[in-house]
Amino acid sequence: DFPVKDADQVIIAKDLAWHIKEKHGANAVFDFNYPMWSTSTHFSELVETELRRLGIGVYVSETEKQGKHNQLYYTLSKLNDRQFYIRVVVNNQFSFQRIWIYQDEQLFPLPTTTVFEGVKNRE
């Protein structure tokens, strides 16, 4: 499950949504099949809500059927008890990655870890 407190999940969801909007614009529409990718549906719902608050269209699907919109998913990797990173992928071509760290009980992102890059197609 997601390794951070509920209040901190909101901070992370807002950050991810903002970066997605910066890259794709407010008129983007996404198919977000988070039940397929995540057991942490609470965080996925927060990401969906924040995207919608920014004016981005989001279709949530619980099937593997591909929609006609941009495909969106994220992965979470726990590095240790105080560090983890999130990677957001759109259409297997765009990747946003950010490392988050707890230090003195406060959560913050490492600013130098934000990257936009291509991603190989999954088979």
Side-chain angles (χ1 to χ4, degrees), residues 23-24 73 75 85-98 112-121:
K23 177 68 176 172
H24 292 280
Y73 71 91
T75 59
Y85 78 88
I86 295 179
R87 181 174 179 224
V88 176
V89 177
V90 177
N91 295 332
N92 290 323
Q93 296 175 2
F94 158 73
S95 177
F96 164 75
Q97 300 174 31
R98 181 161 266 200
T112 60
T113 61
T114 303
V115 295
F116 297 94
E117 64 181 23
V119 181
K120 292 181 180 179
N121 286 335

Side-chain angles (χ1 to χ4, degrees), residues 62-121:
E62 293 188 12
T63 67
E64 290 189 39
K65 182 180 175 187
Q66 299 289 325
K68 60 182 178 178
H69 307 290
N70 295 305
Q71 300 299 308
L72 170 70
Y73 71 91
Y74 71 88
T75 59
L76 170 74
S77 297
K78 187 174 179 180
L79 302 174
N80 57 45
D81 288 340
R82 310 211 45 86
Q83 300 177 356
F84 61 95
Y85 78 88
I86 295 179
R87 181 174 179 224
V88 176
V89 177
V90 177
N91 295 332
N92 290 323
Q93 296 175 2
F94 158 73
S95 177
F96 164 75
Q97 300 174 31
R98 181 161 266 200
I99 293 176
W100 290 85
I101 297 175
Y102 273 110
Q103 186 171 12
D104 300 324
E105 299 307 313
Q106 288 191 331
L107 178 70
F108 64 92
L110 286 179
T112 60
T113 61
T114 303
V115 295
F116 297 94
E117 64 181 23
V119 181
K120 292 181 180 179
N121 286 335

Side-chain angles (χ1 to χ4, degrees), residues 5-80:
K5 299 174 253 179
D6 287 349
D8 291 338
Q9 289 184 36
V10 173
I11 293 169
I12 296 166
K14 286 182 180 201
D15 180 72
L16 292 180
W18 183 84
H19 282 289
I20 291 168
K21 180 181 177 183
E22 285 296 300
K23 177 68 176 172
H24 292 280
N27 62 347
V29 179
F30 295 101
D31 287 323
F32 185 25
N33 185 0
Y34 60 75
M36 182 172 101
W37 293 99
S38 173
T39 59
S40 180
T41 56
H42 174 70
F43 177 72
S44 297
E45 289 168 359
L46 290 172
V47 172
E48 175 193 353
T49 299
E50 292 306 323
L51 287 168
R52 290 178 189 274
R53 283 185 189 179
L54 293 174
I56 296 172
V58 181
Y59 289 90
V60 177
S61 171
E62 293 188 12
T63 67
E64 290 189 39
K65 182 180 175 187
Q66 299 289 325
K68 60 182 178 178
H69 307 290
N70 295 305
Q71 300 299 308
L72 170 70
Y73 71 91
Y74 71 88
T75 59
L76 170 74
S77 297
K78 187 174 179 180
L79 302 174
N80 57 45

